Amino acid sequence: MDVEPSPQLLRGRHIAAGVLLIVALLCAFWWWKTFPFREHHQILHVSFDAFRHVSQELDPQFESQARDSTFEFLDIQTHHAGSIQQAKGVATGLIADVASFATPMEIVEIQRRGIAVPDDWEQRYPHHSSPCYSTVVWVVKPSAGTLAPAWSSLLGTSVRPCMPDPTASGAGRYAYLAVIIGSRTHPSPSSTAFASPQANRILEKIHITGDRASSAARQFLQSPHLNVLLTWESEALQLLRQHAHSGLTIVYPEHPILAEPVVVELVQHTAQRGTGPSVHAYLNYQFTEAAQSAFAKAGFRPRLKQVLHADTPEFPELDWVAIESALGPWPELLDSAFGPKGHYTHLQALRKARHGGSE
């Protein structure tokens, strides 16, 4: 037999529910004001994976320089992952102070998601806010034989190429764009089709492995079935240093693309946390001679000519192809390549269909 609750019990329940709601709102407000739980001297830098070799030297250098010149203690906490993964993290609420992305497309993506990035972000630091540059090369195992730099070489029967995932990794995005541009006889925006038939054949053949440059390199080394890796020049140089007796070689393919990583202050977050001056100093430091040397040691080409010339034997001169001049502005390229109806999105769907629904 059901018993109706008394008016006093109902009133007590309403009061308890109201108190719980007030407590929840106060907790939410306190969390919003204090999140993330870092001190003002702690700077969170989210970076694409290939910069991990740079950060090991650059971050301690900057922290030491800040202590010596301003007596300020700063703690740079750099987290590395695939560039597109990092952009998705920022776009979905990660409270980072500064970001290093492999391409400007990641900045376009987070701007479209409402994250405050200054419209003039390219003009805030030298070289369009790009402290270094690079390209995409092939790391070749002996089993692939001697490869000519022509992109058609990847279609050889003994060649089993791979690259990082372009939906997660900046290295993968650049490798994909390198195939698109390099496979054209004369890379130019006047080409009628986004990808040539040769580019489509190469991309259909390439094995997608790893969600970042480091994991792709690791799987490439461990797999006897893969013998050519498309990746950053910096990653290739690191592999040859670490595996000097493995027979690995580097091939610089024809029509090498100009890959320019970018840095940006996430002003909405730095304003909330009061870290703007420290982030500004950190980004400016990346263009100093000491920091530029750290980029060079890690295999990225520094912007300062005196530093670049000191490392000339490791960095051969190349006849660069600028991506925007070949394929158009970054926002349009993001849509035409990786948008819902983009070329790579369509290609990925075909690959999955041919493999029974998954890669």
Side-chain angles (χ1 to χ4, degrees):
M1 178 177 173
D2 295 334
V3 178
E4 289 290 332
S6 67
Q8 292 84 358
L9 180 58
L10 288 173
R11 187 166 56 252
R13 289 178 177 176
H14 292 157
I15 292 173
V19 170
L20 287 174
L21 178 60
I22 292 171
V23 170
L25 290 173
L26 288 173
C27 288
F29 177 75
W30 176 82
W31 179 86
W32 177 78
K33 289 292 290 183
T34 61
F35 181 83
F37 304 104
R38 296 194 305 273
E39 300 291 340
H40 290 305
H41 68 272
Q42 295 176 318
I43 307 300
L44 178 58
H45 174 200
V46 293
S47 172
F48 67 98
D49 181 56
F51 257 18
R52 67 194 186 280
H53 299 295
V54 179
S55 300
Q56 293 171 0
E57 183 170 342
L58 187 148
D59 289 355
Q61 280 182 0
F62 174 72
E63 293 167 356
S64 176
Q65 186 262 355
R67 284 193 298 270
D68 292 342
S69 60
T70 66
F71 302 102
E72 181 180 9
F73 175 72
L74 290 176
D75 178 16
I76 307 298
Q77 302 175 348
T78 301
H79 175 265
H80 300 95
S83 192
I84 295 86
Q85 290 175 311
Q86 297 287 41
K88 287 179 179 177
V90 172
T92 54
L94 176 63
I95 309 297
D97 301 279
V98 60
S100 295
F101 293 123
T103 83
M105 278 190 282
E106 287 84 273
I107 294 180
V108 174
E109 287 175 313
I110 65 174
Q111 285 178 322
R112 288 178 177 179
R113 295 289 293 270
I115 302 301
V117 174
D119 291 335
D120 65 343
W121 66 268
E122 287 185 275
Q123 283 71 53
R124 295 203 167 195
Y125 299 97
H127 303 285
H128 303 287
S129 294
S130 176
C132 63
Y133 59 105
S134 188
T135 192
V136 170
V137 301
W138 308 343
V139 182
V140 182
K141 290 180 181 177
S143 61
T146 301
L147 295 186
W151 284 90
S152 57
S153 298
L154 297 183
L155 295 172
T157 55
S158 63
V159 179
R160 297 178 296 278
C162 64
M163 70 181 187
D165 185 352
T167 65
S169 163
R173 271 189 175 171
Y174 274 130
Y176 162 78
L177 295 174
V179 173
I180 296 293
I181 293 173
S183 295
R184 297 178 177 183
T185 306
H186 300 290
S188 76
S190 61
S191 302
T192 55
F194 182 81
S196 68
Q198 177 178 273
N200 286 328
R201 290 196 301 272
I202 293 172
L203 290 168
E204 288 171 6
K205 179 180 181 180
I206 288 179
H207 183 75
I208 305 300
T209 176
D211 60 358
R212 61 188 73 183
S214 59
S215 61
R218 185 165 55 251
Q219 293 180 37
F220 165 71
L221 292 172
Q222 294 173 350
S223 174
H225 306 294
L226 302 173
N227 55 22
V228 177
L229 170 65
L230 281 66
T231 190
W232 294 99
E233 178 186 39
S234 62
E235 199 72 21
L237 293 171
Q238 292 287 344
L239 286 176
L240 262 66
R241 294 170 190 166
Q242 296 165 5
H243 305 276
H245 304 292
S246 62
L248 296 176
T249 57
I250 295 178
V251 173
Y252 286 82
E254 60 185 357
H255 311 309
I257 64 168
L258 179 60
E260 299 181 287
V262 292
V263 293
V264 64
E265 176 188 351
L266 300 171
V267 294
Q268 181 178 341
H269 301 161
T270 58
Q272 178 183 344
R273 301 191 61 243
T275 54
S278 298
V279 167
H280 184 64
Y282 177 55
L283 293 182
N284 271 322
Y285 180 77
Q286 296 190 19
F287 296 89
T288 65
E289 186 165 348
Q292 291 283 288
S293 295
F295 282 110
K297 290 177 185 177
F300 285 95
R301 298 184 182 226
R303 293 295 186 177
L304 291 182
K305 291 184 178 180
Q306 64 267 33
V307 179
L308 177 64
H309 292 161
D311 292 271
T312 297
E314 194 162 52
F315 298 122
E317 291 189 11
L318 299 175
D319 186 13
W320 304 99
V321 177
I323 292 174
E324 285 189 285
S325 68
L327 297 178
W330 289 109
E332 296 176 15
L333 178 54
L334 176 62
D335 295 330
S336 58
F338 301 105
K341 297 182 179 180
H343 174 264
Y344 184 77
T345 305
H346 177 68
L347 183 69
Q348 190 180 33
L350 288 177
R351 291 168 63 98
K352 286 183 177 180
R354 290 171 182 171
H355 287 80
S358 63
E359 180 79 36

